[in-house]
């Protein structure tokens, strides 16, 4: 059963931003994973027993920041980009989410409008869970609320760390922190201390994830390449000196 969507909206590409260079592999970091995905497996499976299907084309908007939060979505196929856009058209990427991830769950908990925009990077299939169905299920299974309370506390601690990094780290520290997080989530040690980040990420997307201008990012990366802290081949970043990047990322 497919959920009817009243409009088919596509988000304009911001000026100066390239398209996402993301591989077919799932790209979703533990820090950005949904609260609901950490529920006990039996509750999680039962919660998503009764959903409807939504299909998106590349660049089609799932929802925009400020939209009514009427439910959440589990990604079955494809890739989504979670982002925020400034009035000047500058894009800040919060996360890329692939199959198995859930998006939009905050609104089904607090009933407030969407806090970020979500756009399909490629053709995507999702399962939609309405807020009414979630509340009905949670009221019958109070363990859901207990699990969410614990997870929300953990998320708050992560937010404190993120705010501190964004407020106190210089540009180089912010870039180092982003690369180290990507390496933790998607990296593979290929020997001699080298870690390959197994996702193809363009400089525009890396800049949007870090929250700095692409020109500044390019200067920092070029300097690190000359100093052999990082390298890049076939579109993949490789960390050559993890210890030095960690020092750059220290508050």
């Amino acid at each position: 059963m497919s959920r009817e969507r009243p409009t088919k909206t596509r988000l304009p590409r911001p000026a100066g931003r390239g398209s996402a260079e993301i591989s077919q592999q799932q790209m979703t970091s533990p820090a950005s994973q949904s609260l609901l995905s950490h529920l006990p497996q039996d509750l999680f499976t039962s919660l998503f027993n009764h959903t409807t299907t939504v299909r998106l084309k590349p660049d089609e908007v799932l929802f925009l920041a400020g939209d009514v939060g009427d439910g959440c979505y589990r990604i079955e196929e494809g890739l989504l980009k979670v982002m925020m856009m400034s009035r000047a058209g500058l894009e800040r990427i919060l996360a890329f989410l692939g199959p198995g991830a859930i998006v939009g769950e905050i609104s089904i908990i607090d009933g407030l409008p969407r806090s970020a925009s979500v756009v399909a990077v490629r053709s995507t299939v999702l399962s939609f869970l309405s807020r009414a169905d979630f509340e009905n299920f949670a009221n019958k299974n109070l363990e859901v609320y207990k699990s969410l309370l614990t997870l929300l506390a953990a998320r708050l601690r992560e937010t404190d760390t993120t705010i501190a990094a964004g407020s106190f780290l210089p540009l180089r520290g912010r870039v180092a922190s982003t690369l180290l997080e990507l390496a933790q989530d998607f990296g593979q040690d290929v020997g001699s201390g080298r870690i390959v980040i197994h996702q193809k990420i363009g400089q525009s997307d890396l800049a949007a994830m870090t929250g700095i201008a692409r020109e500044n990012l390019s200067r920092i990366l070029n300097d690190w390449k000359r100093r052999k802290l990082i390298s890049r081949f076939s579109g993949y970043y490789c960390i050559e000196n993890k210890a030095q990047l960690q020092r750059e990322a220290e508050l």
Side-chain angles (χ1 to χ4, degrees):
M1 178 180 181
S2 295
R3 181 178 178 241
E4 294 296 328
R5 297 181 58 80
T7 58
K8 292 291 183 181
T9 308
R10 296 204 178 195
L11 197 66
R13 294 188 183 278
R17 301 291 188 190
S19 60
E21 301 174 22
I22 308 301
S23 72
Q24 293 295 326
Q25 191 176 343
Q26 175 181 343
M27 182 175 181
T28 171
S29 68
S32 64
Q33 291 238 356
S34 163
L35 294 171
L36 296 181
S37 65
H38 293 278
L39 291 175
Q41 187 58 46
D42 58 333
L43 289 178
F44 182 81
T45 301
S46 298
L47 181 60
F48 280 87
N49 269 344
H50 303 289
T51 58
T52 52
T53 300
V54 174
R55 300 178 185 274
L56 299 176
K57 298 176 182 178
D59 295 325
E60 188 174 348
V61 174
L62 178 62
F63 53 75
L64 296 172
D67 284 354
V68 174
D70 57 347
C72 68
Y73 303 80
R74 183 177 63 188
I75 305 172
E76 307 299 342
E77 301 174 18
L79 190 71
L80 295 178
K81 175 171 63 175
V82 183
M83 53 173 283
M84 301 187 77
M85 189 85 74
S86 73
R87 292 186 178 182
L90 298 177
E91 177 183 298
R92 178 68 186 268
I93 297 174
L94 305 180
F96 286 97
L97 302 175
I102 298 173
V103 63
E105 86 280 12
I106 296 298
S107 290
I108 69 170
I109 296 172
D110 62 16
L112 298 177
R114 304 294 189 185
S115 59
S117 300
V118 177
V119 184
V121 177
R122 63 175 66 99
S123 296
T124 302
V125 179
L126 309 105
S127 295
F128 173 75
L129 174 70
S130 72
R131 185 165 186 257
D133 285 342
F134 168 78
E135 289 182 338
N136 182 56
F137 181 84
N139 288 335
K140 294 178 181 177
N141 298 272
L142 297 182
E143 188 178 349
V144 170
Y145 290 118
K146 291 174 61 178
S147 296
L148 287 178
L149 185 61
T150 300
L151 294 167
L152 283 169
R155 185 67 60 85
L156 181 58
R157 291 179 182 274
E158 292 174 2
T159 300
D160 289 342
T161 301
T162 300
I163 292 173
S167 300
F168 302 124
L169 279 178
L171 297 186
R172 288 174 176 269
R174 288 157 65 181
V175 177
S177 180
T178 298
L179 287 173
L180 289 169
E181 181 180 346
L182 290 170
Q184 178 180 339
D185 298 333
F186 311 112
Q188 179 182 350
D189 191 330
V190 294
S192 301
R194 305 177 72 212
I195 302 173
V196 176
I197 299 172
H198 275 284
Q199 294 291 343
K200 288 186 177 181
I201 306 173
Q203 277 199 10
S204 293
D205 292 320
L206 187 58
M209 293 173 73
T210 307
I212 68 175
R214 180 174 177 175
E215 295 77 13
N216 291 332
L217 174 75
S218 181
R219 283 194 291 270
I220 292 169
L221 294 180
N222 287 335
D223 177 53
W224 287 352
K225 288 175 185 177
R226 287 192 296 269
R227 294 165 54 195
K228 301 188 184 305
L229 272 63
I230 65 169
S231 60
R232 195 181 187 200
F233 57 94
S234 301
Y236 296 95
Y237 284 101
C238 178
I239 293 179
E240 304 284 354
N241 191 331
K242 182 179 178 181
Q244 182 58 43
L245 284 187
Q246 287 174 328
R247 284 192 286 273
E248 295 275 7
E250 288 177 353
L251 287 172

